Amino acid sequence: SSSASSSATTTTPNKKASSNASKLLDAHDDAWRRLEASTSDSTLTYDDIPWPPCKRSGGGGGGGETLAAWKVGDLASAAVTLIPTGASKKDSKRHVTRWHPDKFSQRFGERLAEGDRARVMERVKATSQAINVRWGQLKS
């Protein structure tokens, strides 16, 4: 119908941003599933971890909403992408658990490359803290 094509051309920036965030979250979840399915004897480096999508701090063009931006950027924006307003408690808890440093270490710690272990765990801890702050904001 013509209303479908007209709504596509009049998409508001908020709807477009929401759609982009949803696509980023879907891509992140797919990457996480690939990590979980990877062989338990393969070594993981910092770059192998599917860091949450985030916007580059002070970045230009596109707000850094690309796969490369997963490894760079503002953790608060990553937490908002992972746990958007209206997210279910189940989805929120999934991310809280996924990025909890102890849980992450239990699951992947033995596979982390020795040279990357401290950096990975520092980023996991910071990601976990940002997610917990975000979840706390939504629960209150």
Side-chain angles (χ1 to χ4, degrees):
S1 78
S2 65
S3 65
S5 63
S6 108
S7 67
T9 59
T10 60
T11 301
T12 63
N14 287 343
K15 284 185 180 179
K16 185 175 181 181
S18 176
S19 174
N20 287 344
S22 179
K23 288 176 185 175
L24 285 172
L25 183 55
D26 289 345
H28 176 260
D29 285 339
D30 288 345
W32 190 266
R33 281 188 284 277
R34 286 191 299 277
L35 173 65
E36 290 176 318
S38 64
T39 59
S40 61
D41 60 346
S42 62
T43 301
L44 298 172
T45 67
Y46 182 89
D47 290 332
D48 292 329
I49 308 302
W51 301 110
C54 54
K55 296 182 181 183
R56 294 175 193 262
S57 296
E65 293 178 348
T66 65
L67 298 184
W70 289 9
K71 298 170 186 77
V72 180
D74 173 16
L75 292 174
S77 77
V80 169
T81 300
L82 291 178
I83 307 176
T85 302
S88 71
K89 184 176 180 179
K90 179 181 176 184
D91 284 343
S92 300
K93 288 188 83 164
R94 176 171 46 102
H95 293 293
V96 169
T97 303
R98 176 182 287 177
W99 291 104
H100 188 283
D102 292 340
K103 301 285 186 194
F104 187 94
S105 184
Q106 286 173 357
R107 193 161 211 185
F108 303 111
E110 291 183 10
R111 295 177 56 193
L112 294 176
E114 197 55 46
D116 284 351
R117 183 179 315 277
R119 190 171 128 194
V120 166
M121 292 312 299
E122 180 180 342
R123 178 79 183 261
V124 167
K125 182 179 177 184
T127 300
S128 177
Q129 290 170 343
I131 289 169
N132 285 326
V133 166
R134 174 66 176 163
W135 194 33
Q137 290 169 343
L138 293 177
K139 288 194 315 185
S140 58

